[in-house]
Amino acid sequence: MSLPGEYSNPVQEARDLKDQKVSEAYQQGHDAEIPPSTANNSTNVDIEKAIPSQAGSTHSDERTLSEDLPKEAQAQEAADPDLVDWDGPDDPKNPQNWPDSKKWGMIAVLAAVTLVTPLGSSFFAPGVPQVMRDFGVTSNLLASFVVSVYILGFALGPLIIAPMSELYGRLWIYNICNVLFVIFTICCAVSNSMGMLVAFRLLAGCAGSAPLTIGGGTIADLFPQEKRAGAMAIWSMGPLLGPVVGPVAGGFLAEAKGWRWVFWILSIVAGAFSILFASLGRETYAPTLLAQKAARLRKETGNQNLKSKLALDIPPKEVFVRAVVRPMKMLIFSPIVLLMALYVAVNYGILYLLFTTITFVFERKYGFSSGSVGLTFIGCGVGMFIGMAFLGTMSDKIIKEKQAKGTVKPEHRLPVILTVPGGICLPIGIFLYGWTTDKGVHWIVPIIGTAFFGIGNLSALMTVQTYMVDAFTVHAASAIAANTVLRSIFGAVFPLFGLNLFDSLGLGWGNSLLGFIALAMIPVPVFFRYYGERIRTNPKFQVNL
């Protein structure tokens, strides 16, 4: 399809090339390397609109780059015999062409390790009162921090893991992080002080973030876009189920064997899955596989000029700098990234505040044992499943309707019919949970409240993440990284004041304060639904990356 008006086929080729690079880069977990003149935040705006908007910028060669780069690049590639590529579209060494049995075997072991690491975030929560007694700790701050510090590791780990995977491939990163996760979890089991336990929980979170950071990229390596849904569903069950199933099993285990056995069982399961992954896992990252092929051919032929077609002409130091600096620049200077990340971070912080305090609330208020208290987390899990089913169905339906009309834009990922009900469910759940526990209403009612909370939390996360991907396609990986870092920091910090908050204000007003904060955040996605495009395309708000 050609663009209307004066822009002809070469411009369409530029758009197609850019869209392809953007898609591949995001799927592989990094930003697209596109000339600065085309890599602006208004990537979803037609090029005929985007080019004039840059007229006053330093990138005055926008049109020349757009028109000439594709043909020049194609001609150079065709004339360069030293570029190493796959041996045709059916090359069996290309992960996209692997047999289904090999692909799904890889997905199975990936899903297993992706379940274990989120499980570790809350598996330990019901055993915290035992830890406090064993170490003689009375600080509410430490009681919460020993659980939430794991999530802080989820914020720090990806900053190292993501660029390392670009340099050395996915397989080595998976295996090294799996081994480190087992080692750090064992260290948690043998800890002899609260400080030692907190330190190794942080390190375990850093190592455990690997499958969450690059797992989606592995799936993109193996399957074309139209066949990824099933694999993505299986893989995403781990982050969804882990934090909910963890306390259910951990509660009974802590009651029967003590809190140390929670870590021993986690390390045993993680160790078994790590061995399984090391045995069945294979490298899937195309740039790494082609680099290995080029190295082999250089050795066999003696031609030292051979290099991978996908090789990045970027020094390792620059990869690290971009991975760390670009998300932070977007978080600080882009109003869309900042406010959307803050919206999700507040929701995420309240979620982990709930995870770290619910054990104390139900043990003290309702007399639950350390085993049965883990069952109270089921309400939140049920709510998340309901939210996922409703949101997934309605969001796809809305986008398909807009596609049929040819009017799709990123802001359609934020329909009021989804963002407002989802946003309202969150404070409703908090108010219901807070005041029913405060008044001692039957325990099933506050658990129903946590189900509403689960619906609202899942809705916020899914709508914002899909919007950020569509709105910042060129720099989608950095936008999501900024979102992840801020929400993980909030997830680690919010629980620190949870117990003290409830001791000071009571469960009713303490939770109401959180509910009012959540209520105040509801206008954020609604605002960007109507004004997001204007902000995205305004040169004043575009970050120089």
Side-chain angles (χ1 to χ4, degrees):
M1 185 179 73
S2 59
L3 291 173
E6 60 177 318
Y7 298 107
S8 58
N9 192 51
V11 179
Q12 181 62 41
E13 291 175 4
R15 291 179 61 190
D16 291 343
L17 181 67
K18 185 175 75 171
D19 289 344
Q20 180 183 358
K21 287 185 176 182
V22 164
S23 177
E24 291 175 353
Y26 177 71
Q27 291 155 7
Q28 292 166 1
H30 58 82
D31 292 327
E33 299 303 334
I34 293 177
S37 51
T38 59
N40 56 62
N41 286 349
S42 59
T43 53
N44 286 78
V45 184
D46 288 341
I47 280 185
E48 61 267 27
K49 295 179 182 178
I51 292 175
S53 73
Q54 298 291 326
S57 73
T58 57
H59 305 303
S60 58
D61 55 346
E62 172 87 43
R63 185 175 176 182
T64 302
L65 282 168
S66 298
E67 292 180 352
D68 297 339
L69 179 61
K71 289 184 177 180
E72 288 183 3
Q74 292 169 8
Q76 180 181 1
E77 181 179 319
D80 191 349
D82 292 329
L83 289 179
V84 177
D85 198 359
W86 302 115
D87 297 333
D90 300 320
D91 188 344
K93 294 183 180 180
N94 184 341
Q96 297 267 335
N97 298 325
W98 285 358
D100 285 345
S101 58
K102 189 175 180 180
K103 288 183 179 182
W104 287 105
M106 183 70 186
I107 295 301
V109 293
L110 175 62
V113 296
T114 308
L115 172 64
V116 172
T117 54
L119 188 72
S121 67
S122 58
F123 195 29
F124 166 62
V128 171
Q130 294 182 8
V131 175
M132 296 178 68
R133 289 193 297 268
D134 286 358
F135 293 148
V137 175
T138 57
S139 169
N140 288 336
L141 184 69
L142 275 177
S144 300
F145 190 58
V146 73
V147 176
S148 64
V149 69
Y150 188 90
I151 307 303
L152 190 59
F154 278 10
L156 301 176
L159 297 179
I160 302 297
I161 290 169
M164 290 288 283
S165 70
E166 289 188 48
L167 293 173
Y168 303 109
R170 308 196 196 280
L171 187 62
W172 277 102
I173 302 301
Y174 279 131
N175 287 329
I176 291 172
C177 288
N178 287 343
V179 171
L180 290 176
F181 179 78
V182 174
I183 292 173
F184 295 143
T185 304
I186 292 174
C187 291
C188 290
V190 300
S191 294
N192 54 22
S193 69
M194 183 65 85
M196 181 178 176
L197 182 58
V198 167
F200 283 113
R201 283 276 291 169
L202 173 64
L203 293 174
C206 290
S209 66
L212 302 175
T213 303
I214 57 179
T218 297
I219 293 172
D221 295 340
L222 294 169
F223 297 95
Q225 187 172 10
E226 65 275 9
K227 295 182 180 179
R228 284 179 202 141
M232 290 294 288
I234 294 172
W235 173 71
S236 62
M237 291 301 287
L240 185 64
L241 281 176
V244 177
V245 172
V248 177
F252 289 108
L253 182 59
E255 183 180 44
K257 294 292 185 179
W259 65 270
R260 293 185 187 275
W261 267 100
V262 173
F263 290 111
W264 283 118
I265 293 297
L266 186 62
S267 61
I268 290 170
V269 173
F273 286 154
S274 297
I275 293 172
L276 190 65
F277 191 93
S279 303
L280 301 179
R282 297 290 182 270
E283 181 58 67
T284 63
Y285 192 41
T288 298
L289 292 173
L290 288 179
Q292 293 172 352
K293 180 179 179 181
R296 186 179 68 253
L297 290 175
R298 284 196 298 269
K299 185 177 180 180
E300 293 174 356
T301 64
N303 182 359
Q304 298 304 310
N305 294 322
L306 293 173
K307 65 177 182 178
S308 165
K309 175 187 174 183
L310 300 178
L312 289 176
D313 295 326
I314 302 174
K317 181 180 178 181
E318 183 67 16
V319 173
F320 277 96
V321 170
R322 291 187 183 189
V324 176
V325 173
R326 184 180 281 161
M328 295 303 99
K329 288 182 69 175
M330 296 183 75
L331 185 62
I332 295 171
F333 297 111
S334 170
I336 294 180
V337 174
L338 174 61
L339 289 176
M340 283 301 207
L342 185 62
Y343 173 64
V344 171
V346 168
N347 286 286
Y348 204 70
I350 297 174
L351 173 68
Y352 271 89
L353 186 151
L354 179 70
F355 277 167
T356 55
T357 58
I358 197 170
T359 298
F360 295 91
V361 170
F362 278 87
E363 282 187 354
R364 296 173 182 176
K365 198 75 179 181
Y366 294 98
F368 279 39
S369 68
S370 57
S372 58
V373 75
L375 298 173
T376 59
F377 289 79
I378 292 177
C380 188
V382 170
M384 287 183 175
F385 273 107
I386 294 173
M388 182 176 66
F390 175 74
L391 197 70
T393 302
M394 291 299 296
S395 181
D396 286 347
K397 181 179 179 181
I398 291 170
I399 292 299
K400 287 178 181 178
E401 290 176 354
K402 297 297 182 181
Q403 285 177 337
K405 297 178 181 179
T407 58
V408 178
K409 56 184 179 181
E411 284 67 34
H412 290 143
R413 293 290 187 182
L414 303 171
V416 174
I417 194 175
L418 295 181
T419 56
V420 172
I424 291 176
C425 278
L426 192 69
I428 286 176
I430 297 172
F431 291 136
L432 184 60
Y433 167 78
W435 285 108
T436 53
T437 52
D438 184 77
K439 303 302 180 184
V441 179
H442 190 275
W443 54 264
I444 192 62
V445 182
I447 290 178
I448 292 174
T450 65
F452 280 98
F453 180 85
I455 294 173
N457 199 276
L458 192 280
S459 299
L461 184 63
M462 288 188 65
T463 53
V464 169
Q465 185 148 310
T466 53
Y467 173 67
M468 299 277 266
V469 171
D470 284 1
F472 295 93
T473 49
V474 171
H475 299 122
S478 287
I480 296 300
N483 186 298
T484 301
V485 169
L486 191 64
R487 82 172 189 235
S488 297
I489 291 173
F490 273 54
V493 172
F494 262 51
L496 301 185
F497 59 78
L499 290 175
N500 289 332
L501 175 69
F502 297 150
D503 287 344
S504 300
L505 299 180
L507 290 170
W509 284 111
N511 279 288
S512 292
L513 176 60
L514 300 175
F516 288 130
I517 294 173
L519 202 61
M521 300 302 292
I522 292 177
V524 172
V526 177
F527 174 80
F528 286 116
R529 167 63 184 87
Y530 294 105
Y531 298 100
E533 183 178 15
R534 186 181 304 177
I535 295 172
R536 267 192 307 111
T537 57
N538 191 329
K540 293 181 181 179
F541 299 114
Q542 292 179 8
V543 184
N544 183 16
L545 300 172

